[in-house]
Amino acid sequence: MALRKDFLWGGAVAAHQLEGGWNAGGKGPSVADVMTAGSNGVERRITDGVLAGENYPNHEAIDFYHRYKEDVALFAELGLNCFRTSIAWTRIFPNGDEEEPNEEGLQFYDDLFDECLKNGIEPVITLSHFELPYHLVTEYGGFKNRKLIDFFVHFAETVMTRYKDKVKYWMTFNEINNQANFMRDFAPFTNSGLKFPEGASDVEREEIMYQAAHYELVASAKVVELGHNINPDFQIGCMIAMCPIYPESCKPEDMMAATVAMQRRYWFADVHVRGHYPNYLKAYFDRKAFKLDITDEDITALANGCVDYIGFSYYMSFAIKDHDKAPFFDYSEDKDLVRNQFVEASEWGWQIDPLGLRWSMSWFYERYEKPLFIVENGFGAVDELEADGTIHDQYRIDYLSAHIKAMKESVEYDGVDLMGYTPWGFIDLVSAGTGEMKKRYGFIYVDKDNDGNGSLSRSKKDSFAWYQKVIATNGEKL
Ligand code: P53
């Protein structure tokens, strides 16, 4: 089997990481707008609102909001046939709980999508990509509040109706499973707008995370059902951060630890795709005696809103050892992962493992038998701008070609049905994890540094011509 003839070759970004214009056109602040710049190994701080004197890298980002026309022309030159971005919820509903949308925000995405379509580029849209209205955090406590289901559904219905003839491919919640790492503040805040009470215990944090995730899954399912009514041609997927967790050794306890860890990180996909909670999780909830608000109506909504495809990101694999955890093998993403001695890692410690992509594709496809869509993959690295303006990023080409090779093998040898591939941050943008500009993924260089200095001018790296050729040959020439 070869890649589909209509294979979607694209690039992926998220509104808050490239648009800037954080308060332009009636936009309200999102959770991304109250996060400071961190650095390699230093977490971003979440401030109490937007404070004077702090550096908020997403406020300007790469100013795509004002430069999208020139940028889309570059995307067309690159040869993309699709462009994955998100709709910033706060451009449409600045506070998140309004009845009436902000027309100026809606018009911006009309113009952007028109510009893409005119250039033969199909938009692929994420509805919630780490950019929840900040007002929903301060007034409602984020997604641990059931009211957020209706706010999200109203937002989704508004944009799906408005763009029903311009957008066919949708995803609900970006990397919904990042919050499996509930012991750190980053993922629960970016996924769900959660701030834990001072001194909350580990178990309390975990229970809050499960409650929020449940409401998100219900909201997602309702949007899938609604979207199919708005336009039966819509393809609506979930979005999972796939970092497969290998046992450190073939010791049976390591294998069991890896199995349980996979359950705790990927149950979200089970609910999205199958429309019900898996038994292993029900058994876990019972053992933990969590008191979760899961109603009969919720159960029905989940069953009626199974996703059409599985969108996922893939950057790296993880490894785990048992840590004497029998018989439960409970997983702590914060503490249990170990270095895999068989693979290299990036400067940010992300373990490079192309074969892990093929493994992940098999795992998803055997389990669900639904089409897959690789909506993020890439290599964050420091690029050197030469005196003549060129950037030689052979390391990025090496990383991506090895992953595309593994992806093709998965389709050809394992029979996986794959819709497309959109490498992450194909134009340099603000890193989600660290808020840096220095951690670059792009084929297109953007002149800006970690402190916010630079002309914001765009230029092509060596990888630009390379990806052009990959697309032109439908992945034959790597
Ligand atoms: P950055 C963690 C693990 C895997 C993917 O990440 C992740 C994260 C969060 O940092 O995020 C996704 O920018 C996410 C994008 C993000 C990209 O991967 O930290 O969907 O928004 O930019 C790369 O290097």
Side-chain angles (χ1 to χ4, degrees):
M1 272 181 257
L3 294 184
R4 290 183 181 194
K5 284 275 169 292
D6 60 350
F7 195 78
L8 292 162
W9 287 104
V13 299
H16 73 282
Q17 289 171 265
L18 89 165
E19 283 179 6
W22 75 285
N23 57 6
K27 183 182 170 297
S30 78
V31 294
D33 294 320
V34 300
M35 294 179 71
T36 63
S39 60
N40 195 354
V42 180
E43 292 213 18
R44 306 178 72 174
R45 279 180 299 109
I46 300 163
T47 57
D48 251 333
V50 174
L51 307 180
E54 295 282 7
N55 175 11
Y56 298 108
N58 299 79
H59 285 194
E60 182 191 54
I62 62 160
D63 196 33
F64 181 76
Y65 184 70
H66 296 108
R67 293 163 197 248
Y68 72 89
K69 283 200 178 153
E70 298 125 74
D71 285 340
V72 171
L74 269 175
F75 304 169
E77 189 184 338
L78 186 56
L80 305 190
N81 58 31
C82 78
F83 172 51
R84 175 182 177 233
T85 188
S86 58
I87 295 177
W89 188 341
T90 51
R91 283 200 193 286
I92 314 300
F93 293 100
N95 283 334
D97 59 358
E98 297 93 336
E99 203 36 59
E100 293 303 318
N102 169 34
E103 177 57 32
E104 207 175 337
L106 287 168
Q107 190 59 47
F108 170 70
Y109 291 104
D110 262 321
D111 296 344
L112 172 61
F113 300 158
D114 287 344
E115 197 64 26
C116 289
L117 293 167
K118 204 167 76 190
N119 281 283
I121 300 172
E122 186 157 6
V124 173
I125 296 303
T126 318
L127 288 164
S128 180
H129 193 134
F130 306 168
E131 50 209 359
L132 202 78
Y134 185 59
H135 176 78
L136 298 183
V137 176
T138 52
E139 291 304 305
Y140 301 90
F143 252 102
K144 68 171 184 281
N145 188 325
R146 179 178 277 279
K147 291 199 178 113
L148 267 78
I149 298 178
D150 288 343
F151 298 146
F152 179 74
V153 171
H154 183 51
F155 160 61
E157 182 171 18
T158 304
V159 296
M160 284 177 149
T161 306
R162 174 85 167 211
Y163 309 121
K164 67 178 180 352
D165 301 318
K166 297 183 184 179
V167 178
K168 174 176 170 187
Y169 298 99
W170 301 87
M171 272 165 273
T172 55
F173 290 93
N174 185 65
E175 293 191 335
I176 190 170
N177 61 317
N178 280 355
Q179 55 198 323
N181 196 350
F182 55 84
M183 288 307 292
R184 297 261 178 97
D185 291 336
F186 176 81
F189 187 67
T190 51
N191 275 142
S192 309
L194 295 180
K195 281 183 157 184
F196 298 103
E198 198 66 48
S201 68
D202 298 9
V203 187
E204 282 161 352
R205 291 175 78 106
E206 186 175 15
E207 186 169 13
I208 293 170
M209 182 280 287
Y210 276 109
Q211 186 64 67
H214 171 70
Y215 291 148
E216 282 159 12
L217 289 162
V218 172
S220 170
K222 288 188 167 187
V223 165
V224 170
E225 196 182 6
L226 193 97
H228 288 147
N229 289 331
I230 293 171
N231 184 345
D233 289 338
F234 277 180
Q235 293 283 306
I236 310 168
C238 56
M239 198 316 201
I240 303 292
M242 186 40 142
C243 309
I245 306 170
Y246 301 164
E248 192 197 31
S249 78
C250 50
K251 182 180 165 197
E253 285 77 5
D254 281 351
M255 187 63 205
M256 197 61 222
T259 300
V260 172
M262 287 292 287
Q263 293 173 349
R264 297 283 194 276
R265 229 188 114 81
Y266 300 104
W267 66 271
F268 305 80
D270 286 348
V271 179
H272 269 308
V273 184
R274 297 175 174 147
H276 60 256
Y277 276 86
N279 259 5
Y280 63 76
L281 203 67
K282 290 185 195 159
Y284 183 61
F285 288 169
D286 285 349
R287 174 159 64 80
K288 290 278 181 171
F290 287 152
K291 289 184 196 55
L292 299 173
D293 169 35
I294 301 178
T295 65
D296 290 346
E297 289 85 47
D298 293 350
I299 303 287
T300 307
L302 291 176
N304 290 338
C306 298
V307 293
D308 300 315
Y309 67 91
I310 297 145
F312 69 99
S313 64
Y314 180 84
Y315 293 89
M316 60 188 145
S317 60
F318 291 161
I320 190 170
K321 65 179 204 168
D322 79 85
H323 301 284
D324 294 322
K325 286 193 175 191
F328 300 128
F329 298 99
D330 282 338
Y331 174 55
S332 167
E333 187 148 314
D334 202 30
K335 299 201 189 85
D336 293 350
L337 299 175
V338 294
R339 181 80 175 82
N340 178 347
Q341 57 161 320
F342 298 102
V343 302
E344 303 280 314
S346 82
E347 211 174 299
W348 279 262
W350 291 22
Q351 301 187 122
I352 303 163
D353 177 13
L355 201 53
L357 173 58
R358 181 169 163 195
W359 186 91
S360 300
M361 292 171 73
S362 267
W363 187 85
F364 275 132
Y365 200 64
E366 285 168 12
R367 200 171 173 100
Y368 304 127
E369 295 186 322
K370 290 270 182 191
L372 307 184
F373 193 170
I374 302 171
V375 296
E376 288 183 28
N377 173 231
F379 188 58
V382 178
D383 291 330
E384 292 302 334
L385 183 64
E386 306 290 335
D388 64 356
T390 56
I391 295 130
H392 305 302
D393 56 344
Q394 187 58 41
Y395 38 89
R396 183 167 294 110
I397 297 173
D398 292 345
Y399 175 100
L400 291 167
S401 52
H403 284 76
I404 295 174
K405 181 167 168 285
M407 157 186 118
K408 284 167 53 187
E409 287 171 353
S410 166
V411 172
E412 193 171 342
Y413 304 147
D414 308 327
V416 166
D417 182 11
L418 181 67
M419 296 161 60
Y421 176 77
T422 61
W424 174 253
F426 68 103
I427 178 165
D428 290 344
L429 39 60
V430 177
S431 156
T434 66
E436 291 170 288
M437 276 304 298
K438 192 173 132 193
K439 190 181 186 192
R440 296 173 185 273
Y441 289 86
F443 309 138
I444 301 168
Y445 185 84
V446 177
D447 178 32
K448 184 170 181 177
D449 67 18
N450 278 358
D451 302 319
N453 304 312
S455 65
L456 289 171
S457 69
R458 281 53 167 155
S459 54
K460 296 169 195 165
K461 306 182 194 175
D462 287 356
S463 52
F464 189 96
W466 169 81
Y467 193 52
Q468 242 176 354
K469 191 180 62 193
V470 172
I471 298 177
T473 61
N474 199 25
E476 287 304 312
K477 285 226 156 52
L478 293 181

